[in-house]
């Protein structure tokens, strides 16, 4: 974490800019924005047509002169100007006016663990475009661990797995810092792509861009585990004829299709554990792994990890909000740093 707790307490608002969703926390008001990180632009005039959920519904349904863009990829801002315009619309005029009244407006923002200087600079410039005079950067792993209630400040190991749309981050934390961490470029989007490719090759069916998540929701509960339903019916477009049709998909085949991206996640977990000191690994045998992030809700993923690692696996109560809730807890001063008691004091 770049910023200290004292610096974060002075911040007025915090932003978690994710590849899938954008969340904004305002000090004293709580979570004010939780919308998809999507914007729709008129390419003829450059005007912003829609942002958030409405813009996401436009994906794949727009005429040629409307372009749906995602200014954030893998937790990194790739289009600063568009990210600023999207955030201004999502926050709204009323909240922006209230923030502007603050003297020396300060902001906090989440960044991936291995963010390079250019990615950090992009996050800072995005916040500056909203009027921030100073920007504090917080590691997403630390923010998520605080948000889900892990005792990160204690001298004992806690393991967190942030399951994002574009990447998965795994880390072992102790004494408020990251001991070992690994970023795997596989997230919920890679799982979606694996399912889409399976349906295209095995069933000659093309899915609409927003149909993979409903497929996963249909499989929730036991979901993608052997105890789940044997088949599920889905609708799409025939590759050859272009006509709409339905097929019954074998869920065992879907499980096999997503094994490749999930194997990369398991490899990343194994690498983090191999690089950790033995004392910390011993702590993790009892505490296990805490899963946060929107993709943590992929049906059966926790059970799959439990079987592969032999460790307890837990999903946070509201995994998709952990990072922004952690930022909010730091802004509000609900997190106290560990105080050492000097000898002889």
């Amino acid at each position: 974490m770049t910023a200290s707790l004292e610096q974060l307490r002075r911040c007025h608002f915090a932003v978690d800019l994710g590849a899938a969703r954008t969340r904004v926390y305002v000090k004293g008001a709580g979570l004010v924005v939780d919308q998809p990180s999507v914007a729709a632009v008129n390419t003829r005039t450059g005007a912003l047509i829609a942002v958030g959920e409405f813009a996401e519904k436009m994906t794949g349904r727009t005429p040629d002169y409307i372009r749906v863009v995602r200014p954030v990829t893998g937790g990194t801002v790739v289009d600063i100007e568009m990210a600023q315009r999207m955030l201004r619309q999502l926050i709204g005029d009323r909240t922006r006016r209230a923030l502007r009244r603050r003297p020396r407006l300060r902001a906090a923002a989440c960044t991936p663990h291995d963010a390079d200087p250019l990615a950090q600079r992009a996050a800072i410039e995005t916040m500056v475009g909203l009027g921030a005079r100073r920007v504090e950067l917080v590691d997403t792993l630390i923010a998520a661990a605080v948000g889900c209630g892990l005792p990160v400040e204690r001298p004992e190991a806690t393991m967190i797995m942030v399951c994002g749309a574009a990447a998965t981050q795994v880390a072992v934390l102790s004494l408020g810092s990251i001991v070992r961490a690994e970023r795997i470029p596989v997230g919920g989007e890679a799982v979606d792509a694996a399912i889409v490719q399976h349906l295209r090759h095995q069933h000659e069916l093309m899915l609409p861009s927003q149909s993979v998540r409903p497929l996963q929701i249909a499989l929730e509960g036991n979901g993608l585990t052997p105890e789940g339903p044997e088949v599920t019916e889905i609708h799409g477009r025939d590759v050859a004829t272009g006509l709409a049709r339905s097929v019954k998909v074998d869920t065992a085949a879907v499980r096999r299709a997503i094994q490749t991206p999930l194997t990369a996640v398991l490899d990343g977990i194994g690498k983090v554990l191999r690089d950790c000191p033995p004392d910390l690994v011993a702590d993790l045998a009892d505490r296990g792994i805490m899963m946060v992030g929107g993709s943590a809700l992929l049906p059966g993923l926790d059970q799959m990890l439990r079987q592969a690692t032999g460790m307890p696996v837990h999903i946070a109560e509201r995994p998709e909000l952990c990072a922004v809730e952690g930022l909010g807890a730091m802004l509000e001063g609900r997190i106290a740093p560990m105080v050492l008691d000097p000898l002889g004091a």
Side-chain angles (χ1 to χ4, degrees):
M1 182 171 64
T2 305
S4 67
L5 287 174
E6 184 59 35
Q7 290 171 322
L8 288 169
R9 288 194 191 100
R10 298 174 185 169
C11 293
H12 302 103
F13 72 102
V15 178
D16 176 21
L17 265 175
R21 297 185 76 86
T22 293
R23 299 177 176 94
V24 180
Y25 187 102
V26 175
K27 192 173 184 176
L31 186 66
V32 297
V33 173
D34 183 6
Q35 293 279 340
S37 303
V38 187
V41 184
N42 186 326
T43 56
R44 295 174 181 171
T45 64
L48 201 61
I49 297 174
V51 294
E53 291 181 356
F54 188 38
E56 189 174 51
K57 290 178 181 178
M58 292 183 179
T59 305
R61 297 182 172 91
T62 60
D64 293 340
Y65 66 91
I66 295 178
R67 186 166 57 98
V68 177
V69 297
R70 294 182 177 270
V72 184
T73 300
T76 301
V77 179
V78 294
D79 188 337
I80 296 174
E81 182 184 356
M82 187 56 63
Q84 291 173 348
R85 295 174 67 185
M86 180 187 74
L87 275 170
R88 290 191 197 105
Q89 290 297 320
L90 290 176
I91 292 174
D93 292 338
R94 183 176 179 181
T95 303
R96 282 166 51 206
R97 284 196 299 268
L99 289 173
R100 282 177 186 159
R101 297 191 193 104
R102 308 287 179 93
R104 292 195 59 82
L105 183 65
R106 292 177 177 236
C110 279
T111 56
H113 172 66
D114 60 349
D116 56 36
L118 286 177
Q120 295 179 7
R121 186 65 189 170
I124 291 172
E125 288 189 13
T126 302
M127 298 299 104
V128 169
L130 297 178
R133 300 288 297 277
R134 183 180 174 90
V135 181
E136 309 292 353
L137 299 181
V138 182
D139 196 304
T140 302
L141 292 165
I142 298 288
V146 170
C148 65
L150 290 178
V152 294
E153 74 283 356
R154 296 181 186 173
E156 54 192 38
T158 54
M159 190 169 190
I160 188 165
M161 178 175 167
V162 180
C163 307
T168 300
Q169 301 177 73
V170 183
V172 173
L173 312 174
S174 181
L175 289 172
S177 298
I178 296 171
V179 180
R180 292 289 184 275
E182 189 74 17
R183 183 177 184 272
I184 306 106
V186 172
E189 292 175 354
V191 174
D192 292 349
I195 296 175
V196 168
Q197 289 300 317
H198 167 75
L199 294 173
R200 186 182 181 95
H201 293 154
Q202 299 299 320
H203 299 278
E204 296 185 345
L205 192 75
M206 289 183 64
L207 284 183
S209 58
Q210 299 176 23
S211 291
V212 177
R213 291 299 177 183
L215 169 61
Q216 294 174 357
I217 292 171
L219 296 172
E220 66 184 359
N222 291 325
L224 299 177
T225 62
E227 294 78 19
E230 292 185 3
V231 295
T232 184
E233 186 175 5
I234 60 171
H235 310 281
R237 189 182 73 182
D238 190 279
V239 172
T241 65
L243 301 176
R245 70 183 177 96
S246 302
V247 297
K248 291 187 175 180
V249 179
D250 182 9
T251 53
V254 176
R255 286 198 301 273
R256 290 191 294 271
I258 66 174
Q259 282 299 321
T260 300
L262 294 183
T263 299
V265 175
L266 293 175
D267 291 343
I269 293 174
K271 186 176 187 304
V272 170
L273 292 174
R274 286 193 301 272
D275 293 343
C276 267
D279 291 342
L280 294 180
V281 177
D283 290 344
L284 295 173
D286 296 328
R287 296 187 180 87
I289 306 170
M290 177 65 76
M291 295 175 61
V292 302
S295 297
L297 298 173
L298 178 67
L301 177 57
D302 56 332
Q303 184 172 334
M304 210 173 293
L305 291 175
R306 199 174 293 118
Q307 292 172 349
T309 62
M311 298 168 60
V313 178
H314 315 282
I315 300 178
E317 186 176 349
R318 293 191 297 173
E320 68 281 3
L321 297 180
C322 285
V324 72
E325 290 290 351
L327 285 175
M330 296 177 195
L331 263 62
E332 303 284 3
R334 295 196 296 266
I335 305 300
M338 184 181 68
V339 178
L340 297 177
D341 187 14
L343 293 176

